[in-house]
Amino acid sequence: MRGLAKTDRTDGAMELLEVDKPAPGPDEALIEVSHAGLCGSDAGIYKFKSAFERMELPTIIGHEYAGTVVDTGDNVSEYAVGDRIVERPIRGCGECYQCKIGEENVCQNAVITGVDHHGAYTQYVTVPERALHPVPDDVSLRNAAVVEPTSIAARAVIENSRVGAGDRVLVAGPGPIGQLTAQIAREQGGEVVVAGVGQDTNYRLPLAEEFGFDTINVVEDDLESIRDERTDGIGYDVVFDTTGHPSGLTMAVDEVRKGGQIVLVGQTGETTMEYSPLVRAEIDLQCSYASMYEDFERSLRLIASGAVDCETFIDERYSLLSADDAFTAFLGGETCKPVFDVSELHA
């Protein structure tokens, strides 16, 4: 079978490789992949940022996907051939303190699909039964391919933010997680505006507008006057930083109201700022990372109800057979959520 693998520790270096079809172990299921999404971390692997130095190459990447069970190991009891599934791709060890107290998303020994072992940009993957999550009949496999990023946004908004009806919300960063965060915050009752930078004006900010959000171009627009107009000079109740850029946190501090909340979802890296103003304003700084079982459940319901608009969100223009086009467009802000039809690898 074929799979798209990272083959070298340089920018790009992605190749379709011929690999052996895997066989499930006693506690595993064999999954035929239907659709798989492109995530910011996949783009990070493409660029080969330092966070991925631990990868053993070549490794087939991809962790956002949906598929069908086609075989099971002898000990698998909850899933059968024909079941439709997604994977919870951050696999906790089950033994560390965090896992034992129900915080598997921050497991000390977690391994990640498509990073620490082969991922979903291929025809078949084997997955431990405990990492599988069932897809209900009212969600297509195409749409289920974005359950994992939706679950990250769902955790950020529902579990880790205090967004409620009438709250004024700023989402900084119109990438995939930002677009999903905005939709879920609106479903929670927030009045949401989405902010982006210059390269977002071609595709991602217009996409947010297609979802029905007002948008801000932080390069050209007067943030202070917009904030004063939208919040009566008070500041936003909740600011989500999904930018993954050092400027995101400092911008959030400027935009949030005294006593408000900043939720860090993007991985900002290193930034320098004064923290005393946060203390004096009693600003709540909350981090949100990955997701858990309940977040996947909520995400499937949000997708099924249409609260998360997959038809507008998913971009099907790209192919694993010419994946460089997808990664280049993603990194340039010319798309937001490419989803690959993996069945084309069978041809």
Side-chain angles (χ1 to χ4, degrees), residues 287-302:
C287 297
S288 188
Y289 178 69
S291 56
M292 296 176 61
Y293 187 98
E294 186 176 15
D295 306 311
F296 273 74
E297 283 291 292
R298 286 169 168 160
S299 298
L300 286 160
R301 293 194 290 269
L302 287 163

Side-chain angles (χ1 to χ4, degrees), residues 9-91:
R9 299 176 185 278
T10 57
D11 191 346
M14 305 287 283
E15 298 179 33
L16 275 173
L17 301 181
E18 288 285 344
V19 296
D20 293 334
K21 180 180 176 180
D27 301 306
E28 296 179 326
L30 178 67
I31 310 302
E32 182 175 13
V33 181
S34 172
H35 289 77
L38 194 161
C39 169
S41 61
D42 298 317
I45 294 171
Y46 184 84
K47 297 291 290 184
F48 210 69
K49 295 183 177 179
S50 59
F52 302 103
E53 285 288 347
R54 73 180 189 272
M55 291 179 66
E56 296 182 5
L57 303 183
T59 295
I60 296 170
I61 72 167
H63 62 277
E64 301 177 0
Y65 73 98
T68 303
V69 176
V70 293
D71 194 9
T72 59
D74 292 341
N75 297 337
V76 174
S77 59
E78 294 185 20
Y79 295 88
V81 172
D83 287 348
R84 302 180 322 133
I85 61 86
V86 293
E87 181 187 345
R88 299 189 303 277
I90 298 181
R91 303 179 189 173

Side-chain angles (χ1 to χ4, degrees), residues 185-208:
R186 178 170 61 190
E187 183 71 5
Q188 289 288 98
E191 300 173 4
V192 181
V193 61
V194 177
V197 296
Q199 78 166 15
D200 298 320
T201 58
N202 291 331
Y203 185 95
R204 294 181 174 184
L205 287 176
L207 178 63

Side-chain angles (χ1 to χ4, degrees), residues 21-340:
K21 180 180 176 180
D27 301 306
E28 296 179 326
L30 178 67
I31 310 302
E32 182 175 13
V33 181
S34 172
H35 289 77
L38 194 161
C39 169
S41 61
D42 298 317
I45 294 171
Y46 184 84
K47 297 291 290 184
F48 210 69
K49 295 183 177 179
S50 59
F52 302 103
E53 285 288 347
R54 73 180 189 272
M55 291 179 66
E56 296 182 5
L57 303 183
T59 295
I60 296 170
I61 72 167
H63 62 277
E64 301 177 0
Y65 73 98
T68 303
V69 176
V70 293
D71 194 9
T72 59
D74 292 341
N75 297 337
V76 174
S77 59
E78 294 185 20
Y79 295 88
V81 172
D83 287 348
R84 302 180 322 133
I85 61 86
V86 293
E87 181 187 345
R88 299 189 303 277
I90 298 181
R91 303 179 189 173
C93 68
E95 300 296 329
C96 72
Y97 179 78
Q98 278 68 33
C99 285
K100 288 179 178 178
I101 64 172
E103 296 176 353
E104 295 92 344
N105 62 312
V106 289
C107 167
Q108 296 178 27
N109 308 302
V111 294
I112 302 175
T113 296
V115 176
D116 299 304
H117 51 262
H118 285 324
Y121 288 175
T122 188
Q123 295 162 259
Y124 299 95
V125 291
T126 53
V127 183
E129 181 178 29
R130 61 185 174 82
L132 297 175
H133 203 106
V135 174
D137 292 340
D138 55 358
V139 176
S140 69
L141 287 178
R142 167 186 174 272
N143 291 352
V146 299
V147 166
E148 195 273 343
T150 303
S151 73
I152 293 172
R155 181 170 186 80
V157 177
I158 301 168
E159 191 72 26
N160 286 328
S161 90
R162 56 190 193 216
V163 172
D167 280 342
R168 292 171 287 206
V169 177
L170 172 66
V171 176
I177 300 301
Q179 302 279 0
L180 292 164
T181 296
Q183 292 180 74
I184 298 170
R186 178 170 61 190
E187 183 71 5
Q188 289 288 98
E191 300 173 4
V192 181
V193 61
V194 177
V197 296
Q199 78 166 15
D200 298 320
T201 58
N202 291 331
Y203 185 95
R204 294 181 174 184
L205 287 176
L207 178 63
E209 292 166 2
E210 193 171 348
F211 286 130
F213 298 111
D214 291 339
T215 62
I216 301 170
N217 180 345
V218 301
V219 176
E220 296 182 356
D221 295 334
D222 185 336
L223 292 179
E224 184 176 356
S225 62
I226 293 172
R227 178 181 69 244
D228 288 347
E229 180 181 349
R230 293 189 67 92
T231 70
D232 302 317
I234 297 169
Y236 297 94
D237 298 294
V238 181
V239 178
F240 292 92
D241 175 15
T242 71
T243 63
H245 190 274
S247 64
L249 178 58
T250 54
M251 173 186 166
V253 172
D254 290 337
E255 298 298 309
V256 74
R257 68 168 174 83
K258 289 188 174 184
Q261 184 189 37
I262 297 170
V263 183
L264 289 176
V265 190
Q267 297 185 42
T268 298
E270 184 176 349
T271 189
T272 301
M273 56 180 285
E274 290 199 27
Y275 289 89
S276 294
L278 277 74
V279 177
R280 292 196 295 268
E282 205 170 64
I283 291 169
D284 178 8
L285 186 59
Q286 170 71 47
C287 297
S288 188
Y289 178 69
S291 56
M292 296 176 61
Y293 187 98
E294 186 176 15
D295 306 311
F296 273 74
E297 283 291 292
R298 286 169 168 160
S299 298
L300 286 160
R301 293 194 290 269
L302 287 163
I303 289 171
S305 72
V308 168
D309 178 2
C310 288
E311 299 309 311
T312 303
F313 185 49
I314 289 174
D315 186 350
E316 296 182 286
R317 293 178 293 167
Y318 301 97
S319 167
L320 285 174
L321 301 178
S322 53
D324 282 331
D325 294 341
F327 283 98
T328 300
F330 185 91
L331 290 163
E334 298 298 328
T335 184
C336 187
K337 180 48 68 178
V339 171
F340 303 114

